[in-house]
Structure formats: structure tokens, C-alpha cells
Amino acid sequence: MSPILTTQFSQFSLSPALLARLDANKFINPTPVQTAAIPPALEGRDVLATAQTGTGKTLSFLLPIVEMLLRVRDRNAAQALILLPTRELAMQVEAAFKLIRPVPTQTVALVVGGLQERSQIEAIRRGARVIVATPGRIEDFIKRKLVRLDQVQMLVFDEVDRMLDMGFQAAIARIAATLPATRQTLCYSATLEGQVKEVARKYLNNPARIEIGSVLKPSANVELRTFEVEQDKKQELLEHLLASEQGSFLVFVRTKHGADRVARRLTRNGHSATQIHGDRSQAQRNSALRSFSEGHHRVLVATDVAARGIHVSHVAHVVNYDLPKVAEDFVHRVGRTGRASAKGVASTFAGPSERGDLRKIERALAIQMKRFRVRSINENAA
């Protein structure tokens, strides 16, 4: 049997208190990225990891942070800063940290846009030892002298490729300039291309290099299908899939207006659906994601802007209602299903005029999807 499969968290150099928290939350066997990243991180080394979404990256940097906090006794300033691209992802990392921290004195401040500022400032002033932040809000706090980062010993970039795609390269540089020059940096990305290489060169010192699987390939646990279907038949096809298959559906559309339209039609036709996109308030987005996670809504309709922040374990079926623009977006969408060892299905809708775009994605990812041509909704032909 592979050593990765037999490794347990108890085999790492973790404190008994942390191991007890992991055990209480049924974390027994680490994933491959955790197995590879945790030991060098515990030794104080920088880490540069490329891994797909859903591989367990969060625990691979939270455990070394917890261990560092157990050693460092100064409780009046932040010792760890975790930078992430979206509010939703930041909120989930904050929740995961609270779940595994052995002592309540390991306090955390969530610093993100779209939520009430006062509670974030108060958490910092009370001496939060970990700050989980999006670049825009934490930079704003730095400029207004609301936060000190001169005691930070560990810096984490999670989904740094996404942060760079969103235009945060200059903000990251300004944030990093306020941190101690001597620190440990852990960097996670789906790819190691372009600006990501520059970030790695600039901020990491002789990092342990970790690559888990192909960084640009959907999980082998996901069955990939494509349906050639006219635009005006997509909604009908989606409802046919909902009627004929079990489990929850995450549906990706290109625009905010499209997300609202698809979700409204589904609701009108008796399906329990909600939507998440950039125009919805943070409270609405949180409510939609929580409702989907807890199974109150079977269908979540989302745009790509919201996609990186969606981490839900039970998604059975991803539907690319609109074709993604690039192969990397396809991988991130499809990565919402088939997580860990679960099986999943991803269906891509494409019109006759999009055959070339579809083939381009397949070539980029070295994949071949099962093809179906829709003659009528109740009569699909391979």
C-alpha cells in the first residue's frame, strides 16, 4: 500500500493538543498535499505548492500556523497573515482555524470587504494572533494604521494565481513590504505560470517544491460529458438532468443576469434553486452558500467570480451552462465535484458554433469528453 495512504496525522511532529482537535473532528489521514507540505512547513521552511482545488490545502498551512502559535507566547499582535482571493474562501479558512485550534487564546480576525468593518477592527485590537484577509481590505487597514503586521512570522498566499488574476499584484507587494523581512512564507497556486513565478521568486526563500497531480487537469474522479445544444434549449436540458439524476447541482453561467434568470426559471418550475454572484450582497451570498451547503437548496447557480470561494463537499454534478472562457476556468469549475475520493459528474453545454472552443479546452487539458448531441430533450444521441 502507498505510504501516502497509510500516513496519519499522528505521525507528524504535532502537539498532543492539536492532534486531539484533529481526532475530535475526524481528521485521521492526511491528503497527499498535506503529507508533502506539512513536514517542511513544521521545520520552518518556505513552501511552494501547486495543487488542484479540493486537495486539502487549507489544513496543510493551518496546522503549521497552530504549532507556531503554541511556541510563540506574545498574544498582543498578529503572528500569521493568510491572504486569499475571495471573502467566501476567507470565511471558510477562518471557520477551519476555529475548528482545529487547541486553545481559544489563538484568536483570529477576518478582514474582508463586504462585511461590517467595526467587528473586524475590534478583533484586531483585542490582539488577534491570526489574520485571514483579502488583499483589498487588509491594505486599506494598513493605510489607515488600523493594523500592525510587524510581528508576523508566517505569511500564506492561498490561490495566489487567482489573486493575481484579480489584479492584486501591486497590493500584495505593498502588504508584504510591511511584514518582517525574516519570516516563513507558504504559497499555494493551481498553476506556476507567468506572474506566479515572479511572486515565488520575490517572496519565497529556497522553498520546498510540492506538485500534486496535474495542475491543469480535472480530477479522474469526475465523469466529463458535453452536450451540443442550442441556446434556447439549455434550460430544458438542465431541468431534464435534474429530473433524471440524483444529488446537488452547481451550475455555472457567464453573467450575473444569466445567473438570476436561470435560478428564477428553475424556482418557477418547482426546483429548489438559489444563486451567487458579484452583485448580490455579502449577506445574500453567505445565505445562498449556507443554504446550498446544508442541502436546503439542491441547485446553486454561480458566476466564475464567485467560483473560487465555493467549497462544498457534497456537490454531485457540475453543469457548465455557459462554456468557460479558458481551460483553467474549466478545471476550477469542474473541481467543485469529485473532491477527495468522491465521484462526480460534470456536464458542459455548448452550441454548434462553440465546437472549436470546446476542442481547444480539450486539447489544452489533454482530455476527451463524452459527447451527446441533443436532438430533443428526451432523446439524446451520442
Side-chain angles (χ1 to χ4, degrees), residues 114-131:
L115 295 179
Q116 188 184 52
E117 188 179 272
R118 184 186 305 165
S119 61
Q120 301 179 40
I121 295 171
E122 287 175 354
I124 293 169
R125 286 176 177 164
R126 285 196 300 268
R129 305 192 68 201
V130 178
I131 295 177

Side-chain angles (χ1 to χ4, degrees), residues 6 73 87 99 167 189 197 230 242 247 354 360 365 380:
T6 57
R73 295 303 176 188
R87 288 169 290 200
L99 200 64
S189 177
K197 284 185 178 178
E230 297 289 353
L242 284 164
E354 295 176 304
K360 191 183 297 183
L365 302 178
N380 297 339

Side-chain angles (χ1 to χ4, degrees), residues 269-291:
N269 292 336
H271 301 280
S272 84
T274 187
Q275 69 267 43
I276 184 170
H277 56 69
D279 273 356
R280 303 203 84 195
S281 71
Q282 188 61 40
Q284 288 174 320
R285 293 166 77 173
N286 294 347
S287 176
L289 187 57
R290 184 169 56 251
S291 181

